[in-house]
Amino acid sequence: MLQVNVARLHEDNREALALAWVAGRDGGTTVRREAVAAASLIGHLNLTHPNSIQVIGAYEAGMVAGFIERLFEPQPAAVIIADGVAPPPPLVEAASRCHTPLFTSPLPAPRVIEKLARYLAKALAETAERHGVFMDVLGIGVLITGESGVGKSELALELISRGHGLVADDVVEISRIAAGTLEGRCPAMLKDFLEVRGLGLLNIRTIFGETAVRRKMKLRLVAQLERPQPGGRDPGERLPLVEQSEEILGVTVRKVTLPVAAGRNLAVLVEAAVRNEILKLRGIDSTAEFLARQHGEMQKDQ
């Protein structure tokens, strides 16, 4: 079940929102995505369809006295009083009695809601793990996949030496942060490290500097490395007319298959694939352009 402990929410946003924990420290409640199917995670005071986290601004604070019991009846995960408003004593007493965390913030209520909405969207996002190397290549998040020993780490090392950035090696944590957006991160244990056969573990930040690593990237492209099939046959199509893709957490991600063979410069091929992906994002499709040109020449001959 996707959930966020309120104590963790307070700690992660304490400085950014100047959150002060006024009452209900023994609450130990959590925010659950499944528990708010009919309501939002956070919003202004709403007693009809209660939010999981109720935010009370200056306007709501002036009329909350008559609604204190109704406010705590649906057992909100937390209550935040924004706009620098001093919490009414009856509200503090009710929060303590109901063991509901009560916070105050000097920031405007809309800003508190916006900040925590983004935080909760990421904290409660659907997640999955993929085996591979996640790179920042020309500003595009590229997940390099393939069977063990195919050369993923060596390719990543060459890309790093060409000025690109490492996000994660071996295990990539992928989260769906929006309907059609995936974000990849590195587990804390593996941060900055790249395992290369024969060399062992390399600290990329120490060897190449701060600019060689990235904290996170949006996943835009999957580069699948494949060895030649028996008989030397190319595992991929020579001229693929149908665009390849892979579905991750319900999001379709474009995919390219790169055959691994002696003498092939995979780093250059990945860079070319990324540049081609950038062109597609701008509405320029090289294959479609070539087919249109070929069709035009055939019509001329006829």
Side-chain angles (χ1 to χ4, degrees):
M1 178 182 292
L2 298 174
Q3 61 183 32
V4 175
N5 186 276
V6 171
R8 175 190 157 195
L9 179 145
H10 171 261
E11 184 61 29
D12 290 346
N13 297 276
R14 179 169 51 87
E15 294 185 4
L17 297 177
L19 286 179
W21 199 324
V22 177
R25 282 188 171 272
D26 56 345
T29 54
T30 57
V31 182
R32 295 182 176 88
R33 178 175 290 278
E34 289 80 359
V36 289
S40 62
L41 292 169
I42 180 170
H44 288 285
L45 177 63
N46 187 337
L47 299 178
T48 305
H49 301 289
N51 302 301
S52 184
I53 299 178
Q54 300 270 24
V55 178
I56 300 175
Y59 174 76
E60 293 84 2
M63 42 188 286
V64 75
F67 299 106
I68 288 179
E69 294 303 323
R70 288 186 59 194
L71 173 63
F72 290 98
E73 185 177 339
Q75 299 179 335
V79 175
I80 302 175
I81 300 183
D83 295 333
V85 176
L91 187 62
V92 177
E93 293 173 6
S96 299
R97 185 174 65 254
C98 299
H99 308 293
T100 300
L102 175 64
F103 306 123
T104 61
S105 172
L107 301 180
R111 183 175 173 186
V112 173
I113 294 172
E114 180 186 3
K115 167 69 177 176
L116 289 183
R118 290 200 305 266
Y119 169 81
L120 290 171
K122 291 186 177 181
L124 296 174
E126 293 184 65
T127 60
E129 290 186 350
R130 286 289 189 274
H131 175 69
V133 184
F134 193 37
M135 299 287 302
D136 170 14
V137 181
L138 300 173
I140 296 290
V142 181
L143 177 62
I144 303 172
T145 61
E147 62 185 38
S148 181
V150 76
K152 299 184 296 294
S153 296
E154 290 82 353
L155 170 58
L157 187 60
E158 184 170 355
L159 287 169
I160 293 168
S161 69
R162 295 169 70 94
H164 307 294
L166 172 71
V167 181
D169 176 42
D170 192 38
V171 178
V172 184
E173 294 179 343
I174 300 175
S175 303
R176 190 177 71 177
I177 60 175
T181 305
L182 299 175
E183 183 178 86
R185 294 172 176 262
C186 180
M189 179 67 70
L190 304 177
K191 185 180 178 182
D192 299 339
F193 285 100
L194 178 71
E195 181 189 4
V196 180
R197 292 176 185 270
L199 298 180
L201 286 174
L202 302 179
N203 189 316
I204 298 302
R205 186 185 297 270
T206 302
I207 297 174
F208 293 93
E210 296 286 336
T211 59
V213 293
R214 308 286 188 272
R215 187 169 63 92
K216 60 183 179 179
M217 284 293 296
K218 289 183 174 61
L219 175 57
R220 300 289 191 186
L221 183 67
V222 175
Q224 173 80 18
L225 303 186
E226 291 191 5
R227 292 191 177 95
Q229 297 176 354
R233 289 180 294 137
D234 195 324
E237 296 181 60
R238 182 177 179 88
L239 185 60
L241 300 180
V242 179
E243 190 174 83
Q244 291 182 296
S245 64
E246 180 174 336
E247 189 169 297
I248 302 176
L249 293 174
V251 178
T252 301
V253 183
R254 285 176 178 167
K255 178 179 179 179
V256 293
T257 300
L258 301 177
V260 177
R264 300 199 83 193
N265 192 327
L266 293 178
V268 172
L269 294 178
V270 170
E271 287 179 340
V274 169
R275 292 181 187 277
N276 192 46
E277 175 65 15
I278 293 173
L279 288 177
K280 287 183 178 180
L281 291 174
R282 295 175 180 174
I284 303 173
D285 191 328
S286 300
T287 302
E289 183 181 350
F290 173 76
L291 291 177
R293 182 184 299 178
Q294 183 188 46
H295 181 69
E297 291 297 324
M298 292 174 63
Q299 285 186 324
K300 287 181 181 179
D301 292 341
Q302 291 176 355

